[in-house]
Amino acid sequence: MKAWLTGHVRSVVLAFILLTVAGLAAALNLPVSLFPHVDFARVVVSIDAGDRAADQTEIQVTRPLEEALRGVPGVSHIRSTTSRGAADIALSFDWGHDMVAATLQTEAAVNAAMPDLPPGVRFTVKRMDPTVFPILGLAVSSPSRDPVKVRQFVDLQLRPLVASVPGVAAVDVLGGGQAEYQVLIDPARLQALGLSADDVVKAIAANNVVNAVGKLEDRHRLYLTLVDTRLSSAADLGQIAVKTGATPGAGVVPLSAVAQIQLAPAPMWTRITAQGRDAVLVNIRQSPEADSVALAKAVRARLAELSKHTPSDINVATFYDQTELVTGAAGSVRDAIFLGALLAGAVLFLFLRSSRLMLITAIMLPAVLASACLLLFVLHMSFNMMTLGGLAAAVGLVVDDVVVMLEHLMRRLQEAPEAEAKSGILAAAGEMARPLIGSSLSTVVVFAPLAFLTGVTGGFFKALAVTMSAALIISLLFALFVAPVLAQAWVRRQDVEAADAADRMTHPIAGGYQRAIGWTLGRPLLAVGVIAAIFLGLGGLAYSQLGTGFMPKMDEGGFVLDYKAKPGAALSDTDRLLRQVEEIIRSTPDVDSYSRRTGAQLGGGLTEADEGDFFIHLKKGKRRGVEEVMAEIRQRVGAEVPGLDVEIAQLMEDLIGDLTAVPQPIEIKLFGPNPDALKTAAKTIAPAIGKIDGVVEVVDGLRVAGDALVVKVNRPAAALEGLDPDAVSKQLEDLVGGQVATQVQKGELLYGVRVWTGASLRDRVGAIANLRLHAPDGHDLPLSRIATVVVEPGQQQITREDLQPFVGVTARLEHRDMGSAMAEVKKTIAGLALPAGVRIEYGGLYAQQQSSFVDLAVVFAAALLLVSLLLLYLFERWRVVISVLAVVLMAAAAVFVGLWATGTELNISALMGLTMVVGIITELAIFFFAEVELDQHVDASHLTTAGLARLRPILMSAVIAILALSPLALGLGQGSAMQRPLAIAIISGLLAGAPLVLMVLPALFEALSRKRA
């Protein structure tokens, strides 16, 4: 290696510069997103079957589609929710399945089943991924304009401008109003003239046409002949001639003689507000490959252009910005890199007193991270919460490689005669090649089993693993080739003298270490036994007391409040309750802004007029934590707004849950053939688990739609009047809901023309029976003559999973970990007397957690086997393997103690840190054994000498890694909470692992050597 480096110094330096520059260019061009690209294995089919009963919709629509979709290749589970005239069918596929093909196959299966479904059924197929949720949300409002005018501004000016930004997949608009012409017929006048509402509809449609009837040539010109009778105003509508009979001599009357014509908002059963004022919400969704930050910046630039021409009384505000989390995480990584480099330099200076070595470290760290970005660019990855967290977590390990090499070079310089010092640097670097490669591989190989992980854990942590592996591999190469070259060029004799002076400071540490290792090596079995018992005992105690969770909790700066009023509540009554909620939100000092959807939801889905959600954005800077604000608002709404059920969650938690299955942590799935038994079981379980401490927002899963007015036609009586149920239904549709006969174009807008009755004739339940029907022979009759009108209570939503009826009881957690809560939930349910035939399964995020924990346990075991293989390859001694594995397991026990002491839950991030501890402690052990001549007889004196030689580098490595991870462990900066458990786990492992490697490892090796002898 010395000869090669000596002959390629210039090319090594140039390659270093080129990689760094290319990495910087790649970093500037890497796309930015909230999450890594994950093909979530879920497709949702949304069905619109018109106005029909829930049980009818299930039998005629949902079940046939479930049977058809069950045959789509790769489907593992099917879950459906059926309400009145609507259904959602969610298909879960095996992870790793081609979801583009799955979406197309799902759409094809639904199309194939359409001929067997009732006429008029419509559907949409949506592949679930993070881009189904908006990246940016805008609230458009005006203190003086009506909702129709605000919506027109959005549709004609704002929406087209934003939709043209590269990377925008869709722009969804909610709220405002749509204007239409309403032709309010007078039943008495129609009866006097022998007309029906259908006659009016046909007359309007026939008078609003534009048809090409042919072409002709005349005087060298070609003309297209058009018949153009398009309507353009209310006056045009009023002049339409309505024929009063079918005979040739029948007269005509103008439409204005039998109807009142007005321009009014179309009927809407939703309410959208922002900051307590009616608003139009614009949800901007990105394409999967788009750069979130660049897209948001481009949208704001377009909005800035638009603001120059926007009327002064229209306000455009941002109510949601997903990129705040990403940019916050990027800032945290920047700070972690700076702080890591500063602390590493300080430690290096403390131990070696060399400003030149500090400079080399300061150059190498950003160069390594930049070059790692080049690999991310080549692999078509992005900057996201996981890759940025991986770069921040890698800082300590990256610096570690450089510091170990520089420390070894300095030690050899201290040992060498002054005349030979400079020439021996590259030779000394060659001595470190094998242990440095082995130690770096020990950290990289623990990531290899992650390739086999599935689900959210695999999708997210593969990105972190690839990022850290890329940084570690680049760090290894730079430490092997670049650091020695820079050291040879820059290190001076005074640096060696400074290191000698620094050694005097560490002499007390070395003396204490020599006494401690002398004691352990003198009685190795006793020392190892006592220390192992202490670590394993404390680790077992900590593990038994440790709370468990799924994803780390982080402060996203905002949250979603889902609400549900009493079934069938009028929109005006629901709105009155929600105005009280808005008062609570406005009076909370930590809230910056909020938006509200009633009859709609931020992420879509089946929604009745009595439910919806708020998105509440919190202030930046100093404020209370999001969990505390959520708890306060939950308690106040529960106490001050009776009749309203709420669920509160941060958006990312809700998003991940929706993308996988169910967003609630707790879901008790009840299966059985008897609907009444399921209903009884749900009503028994819900109040029982609601009494458990920390379990909140319990929902029994028995969702009920609003009441229905049912018109029951007396067939014989209708036949005597010349009518049948179908004719009655069509006439009532015109009278109650109105029928859009045609559309009138005015500029860029189309206005529907709705033929309807006056509000006074249809705004009360009792008025429906008095509506006048028109018989084929011309006579009119009240509906009550041939039908009865009854009020039926709302129908329960019908839920099925894998073609079986089920009810899901859900709940969320407040100030309690998932593991202990679920243990108490299971214990509580086991003590309940449930109806016979009811089977229980547990789903929700708990099911995701259990699956992930099993996968990560396999990864941990695989990591142990892989480092065992690596150790055996490097040293070919089983004693080394057994000694290192024992120390690793003791350090793993210390991880549980660290998590328990800091009040951190054992979640997938902490388990990932636990797995990384395997590699990191093995790395320190490899450095130790690299100093031992294993081919010769090894006794206690040799192990003591090796320990003294490796004392300084091992302490430096551990201290630097701990300090570099401290910003993440302390949760400094937005987005750092995602990696906080991982950082705490690694720091805990290092705090215990470094002393274990220095004292217990040689003692255990000595004990095994004595036994072998």
Side-chain angles (χ1 to χ4, degrees):
M1 179 175 170
K2 174 186 176 182
W4 187 90
L5 270 179
T6 303
H8 295 84
V9 170
R10 294 177 182 83
S11 58
V12 166
V13 173
L14 180 59
F16 170 70
I17 295 172
L18 291 177
L19 276 174
T20 304
V21 172
L24 290 172
L28 294 174
N29 288 281
L30 272 174
V32 182
S33 59
L34 182 61
F35 294 131
H37 177 73
V38 177
D39 282 329
F40 285 90
R42 196 161 182 254
V43 172
V44 174
V45 181
S46 298
I47 311 295
D48 180 0
D51 294 324
R52 64 185 74 223
D55 55 353
Q56 184 184 13
T57 305
E58 183 207 12
I59 294 171
Q60 295 182 344
V61 180
T62 307
R63 287 190 183 184
L65 284 177
E66 284 180 343
E67 295 288 349
L69 293 170
R70 200 68 184 88
V72 174
V75 170
S76 57
H77 297 288
I78 292 183
R79 175 182 285 210
S80 67
T81 303
T82 306
S83 189
R84 290 188 309 194
D88 275 351
I89 304 176
L91 282 69
S92 297
F93 292 80
D94 298 323
W95 282 90
H97 196 79
D98 184 346
M99 293 310 299
V100 174
T103 306
L104 295 174
Q105 290 167 339
T106 300
E107 191 165 351
V110 177
N111 277 317
M114 287 300 286
D116 300 325
L117 302 182
V121 173
R122 294 177 297 173
F123 74 93
T124 57
V125 176
K126 183 167 59 177
R127 174 185 167 193
M128 299 300 288
D129 60 47
T131 60
V132 302
F133 287 81
I135 180 180
L136 201 63
L138 307 175
V140 185
S141 60
S142 173
S144 56
R145 300 190 181 217
D146 62 67
V148 172
K149 296 294 184 185
V150 177
R151 177 64 183 253
Q152 288 176 355
F153 167 79
V154 170
D155 287 340
L156 297 180
Q157 297 186 53
L158 192 150
R159 185 178 191 174
L161 193 70
V162 171
S164 63
V165 174
V168 171
V171 180
D172 303 322
V173 180
L174 296 173
Q178 298 285 356
E180 67 176 12
Y181 288 103
Q182 294 179 355
V183 180
L184 305 178
I185 57 177
D186 185 331
R189 292 184 184 180
L190 287 180
Q191 181 182 3
L193 295 170
L195 295 172
S196 68
D198 190 52
D199 294 327
V200 175
V201 170
K202 291 177 180 177
I204 293 173
N207 279 273
N208 187 40
V209 296
V210 53
N211 289 326
V213 297
K215 297 178 182 178
L216 61 86
E217 288 186 357
D218 182 26
R219 299 180 185 181
H220 310 291
R221 304 286 295 179
L222 178 65
Y223 295 93
L224 173 65
T225 308
L226 297 173
V227 176
D228 188 351
T229 62
R230 284 179 289 181
L231 305 169
S232 60
S233 64
D236 289 349
L237 284 166
Q239 294 170 8
I240 292 175
V242 182
K243 199 170 183 181
T244 59
T247 60
V252 296
V253 294
L255 181 60
S256 58
V258 295
Q260 176 189 350
I261 302 168
Q262 64 182 24
L263 185 64
M268 292 186 67
W269 306 108
T270 61
R271 180 67 57 83
I272 309 296
T273 68
Q275 298 298 100
R277 177 183 294 164
D278 287 341
V280 178
L281 300 185
V282 182
N283 294 329
I284 301 166
R285 294 191 286 115
Q286 71 176 84
S287 56
E289 69 283 354
D291 183 325
S292 302
V293 174
L295 188 150
K297 185 177 180 181
V299 168
R300 290 194 186 91
R302 292 287 176 91
L303 292 176
E305 293 176 15
L306 180 64
S307 66
K308 301 174 184 177
H309 313 289
T310 301
S312 59
D313 61 342
I314 286 184
N315 177 53
V316 180
T318 301
F319 74 86
Y320 172 66
D321 185 355
Q322 192 185 90
T323 62
E324 288 181 355
L325 273 175
V326 185
T327 53
S332 299
V333 170
R334 178 201 60 220
D335 297 341
I337 293 171
F338 175 77
L339 191 58
L342 186 65
L343 293 173
V347 172
L348 194 65
F349 186 78
L350 180 66
F351 279 93
L352 298 177
R353 302 292 175 86
S354 171
S355 57
R356 290 181 179 85
L357 295 184
M358 284 180 61
L359 179 61
I360 293 173
T361 305
I363 291 173
M364 296 285 279
L365 176 59
V368 168
L369 297 180
S371 301
C373 292
L374 179 61
L375 282 180
L376 297 183
F377 185 80
V378 171
L379 295 172
H380 304 290
M381 296 176 69
S382 66
F383 280 139
N384 53 64
M385 297 291 289
M386 302 311 294
T387 54
L388 289 171
L391 289 175
V395 167
L397 303 179
V398 165
V399 173
D400 179 51
D401 285 344
V402 179
V403 166
V404 166
M405 175 61 82
L406 294 178
E407 190 279 336
H408 179 75
L409 298 180
M410 186 58 70
R411 183 154 62 92
R412 289 293 185 248
L413 286 174
Q414 289 176 274
E415 295 169 352
E418 182 176 350
E420 302 173 8
K422 291 283 286 185
S423 61
I425 286 182
L426 297 185
E431 296 172 1
M432 277 300 292
R434 181 180 173 86
L436 196 61
I437 292 172
S439 64
S440 295
L441 285 179
S442 69
T443 309
V444 173
V445 295
V446 300
F447 293 125
L450 288 173
F452 303 100
L453 277 184
T454 60
V456 176
T457 307
F460 278 29
F461 283 94
K462 281 177 188 175
L464 181 139
V466 168
T467 305
M468 295 191 71
S469 298
L472 291 171
I473 291 170
I474 296 292
S475 171
L476 170 64
L477 294 175
F478 283 7
L480 279 176
F481 301 111
V482 180
V485 169
L486 295 180
Q488 186 180 44
W490 292 352
V491 173
R492 300 290 183 266
R493 184 62 198 173
Q494 53 264 41
D495 295 309
V496 179
E497 295 170 355
D500 290 334
D503 277 349
R504 289 192 289 272
M505 181 198 72
T506 60
H507 282 165
I509 300 174
Y513 169 70
Q514 191 167 5
R515 289 189 294 273
I517 196 173
W519 184 87
T520 59
L521 290 174
R523 49 193 64 77
L525 282 176
L526 175 63
V528 171
V530 171
I531 294 173
I534 292 172
F535 272 91
L536 296 179
L538 287 175
L541 175 64
Y543 181 79
S544 67
Q545 302 296 317
L546 200 57
T548 62
F550 181 45
M551 295 291 285
K553 294 177 180 177
M554 58 185 294
D555 191 331
E556 299 173 17
F559 57 90
V560 177
L561 186 153
D562 293 318
Y563 57 82
K564 177 79 169 68
K566 296 301 180 184
L571 182 61
S572 57
D573 290 339
T574 304
D575 184 62
R576 177 180 54 79
L577 293 176
L578 296 174
R579 297 291 178 183
Q580 298 178 48
V581 177
E582 291 180 352
E583 285 295 330
I584 292 173
I585 294 171
R586 280 196 294 269
S587 66
T588 304
D590 308 278
V591 172
D592 178 46
S593 62
Y594 67 92
S595 61
R596 189 246 288 186
R597 287 146 292 276
T598 303
Q601 289 182 332
L602 185 63
L606 286 179
T607 312
E608 299 284 346
D610 55 18
E611 61 185 331
D613 62 30
F614 287 87
F615 179 75
I616 301 169
H617 185 263
L618 302 183
K619 293 177 181 177
K620 297 179 181 179
K622 189 176 181 180
R623 59 166 170 80
R624 291 179 296 169
V626 67
E627 294 285 344
E628 188 177 349
V629 177
M630 288 164 57
E632 179 187 317
I633 290 179
R634 178 187 293 116
Q635 292 165 3
R636 289 190 61 187
V637 171
E640 300 174 27
V641 192
L644 197 69
D645 297 324
V646 300
E647 291 186 64
I648 302 179
Q650 295 195 74
L651 185 61
M652 295 305 103
E653 174 190 336
D654 231 25
L655 185 153
I656 293 171
D658 283 333
L659 292 177
T660 52
V662 177
Q664 290 87 355
I666 299 173
E667 184 194 31
I668 300 108
K669 298 192 289 186
L670 309 174
F671 293 89
N674 187 339
D676 292 333
L678 295 179
K679 188 174 182 180
T680 302
K683 288 187 173 182
T684 303
I685 289 173
I689 67 171
K691 297 175 184 176
I692 298 173
D693 185 43
V695 175
V696 297
E697 298 175 0
V698 179
V699 178
D700 61 16
L702 304 173
R703 303 296 292 267
V704 178
D707 299 341
L709 280 181
V710 180
V711 178
K712 298 186 177 182
V713 179
N714 185 323
R715 292 182 180 85
L720 290 174
E721 301 288 349
L723 296 168
D724 57 38
D726 183 59
V728 173
S729 175
K730 289 179 179 178
Q731 289 196 46
L732 285 178
E733 184 179 354
D734 294 342
L735 299 174
V736 178
Q739 181 174 344
V740 178
T742 188
Q743 290 182 313
V744 172
Q745 181 180 352
K746 293 185 70 174
E748 297 180 72
L749 296 173
L750 288 174
Y751 293 78
V753 180
R754 184 184 300 271
V755 178
W756 214 0
T757 54
S760 62
L761 299 176
R762 51 176 166 78
D763 62 354
R764 291 289 183 270
V765 173
I768 301 300
N770 298 323
L771 290 173
R772 308 289 296 184
L773 304 179
H774 189 74
D777 62 2
H779 78 277
D780 283 6
L781 66 149
L783 175 63
S784 58
R785 186 182 300 175
I786 61 170
T788 56
V789 181
V790 296
V791 178
E792 290 192 353
Q795 291 184 309
Q796 181 182 318
Q797 284 186 355
I798 302 169
T799 49
R800 290 161 54 86
E801 185 169 282
D802 293 332
L803 312 184
Q804 306 171 73
F806 95 104
V807 173
V809 180
T810 61
R812 295 187 184 273
L813 299 172
E814 181 179 272
H815 306 310
R816 180 135 189 208
D817 71 280
M818 188 186 297
S820 66
M822 281 303 303
E824 195 167 346
V825 165
K826 291 179 178 180
K827 182 179 178 181
T828 300
I829 293 175
L832 298 176
L834 300 179
V838 174
R839 176 169 56 88
I840 294 177
E841 292 183 10
Y842 294 95
L845 294 182
Y846 173 72
Q848 296 287 325
Q849 181 218 44
Q850 293 299 294
S851 174
S852 298
F853 275 24
V854 170
D855 289 344
L856 286 170
V858 173
V859 168
F860 182 79
L864 290 175
L865 293 175
L866 288 173
V867 297
S868 299
L869 177 62
L870 177 64
L871 289 167
L872 202 56
Y873 173 77
L874 290 173
F875 302 108
E876 292 294 340
R877 300 289 188 279
W878 282 110
R879 287 170 291 161
V880 171
V881 176
I882 294 170
S883 303
V884 173
L885 288 184
V887 168
V888 165
L889 292 176
M890 283 186 261
V895 169
F896 296 129
V897 175
L899 293 173
W900 181 37
T902 57
T904 306
E905 291 181 352
L906 181 66
N907 50 40
I908 58 176
S909 178
L911 286 173
M912 189 69 206
L914 177 67
T915 304
M916 290 177 60
V917 165
V918 174
I920 294 170
I921 301 304
T922 304
E923 175 183 349
L924 298 180
I926 288 173
F927 283 136
F928 179 89
F929 279 114
E931 199 69 21
V932 180
E933 294 290 341
L934 293 173
D935 292 333
Q936 302 174 8
H937 173 69
V938 178
D939 56 22
S941 63
H942 296 96
L943 294 172
T944 302
T945 302
L948 288 169
R950 288 304 182 192
L951 176 63
R952 185 171 68 179
I954 287 177
L955 287 179
M956 290 173 65
S957 297
V959 171
I960 287 172
I962 290 169
L963 292 177
L965 287 168
S966 295
L968 289 179
L970 295 172
L972 302 180
Q974 193 170 16
S976 61
M978 183 68 76
Q979 314 302 339
R980 183 172 178 269
L982 178 143
I984 290 174
I986 295 175
I987 289 174
S988 302
L990 277 169
L991 285 173
L996 287 171
V997 167
L998 288 168
M999 291 192 295
V1000 176
L1001 180 66
L1004 183 55
F1005 183 81
E1006 173 67 10
L1008 293 173
S1009 298
R1010 290 182 183 180
K1011 185 176 180 180
R1012 182 171 179 269

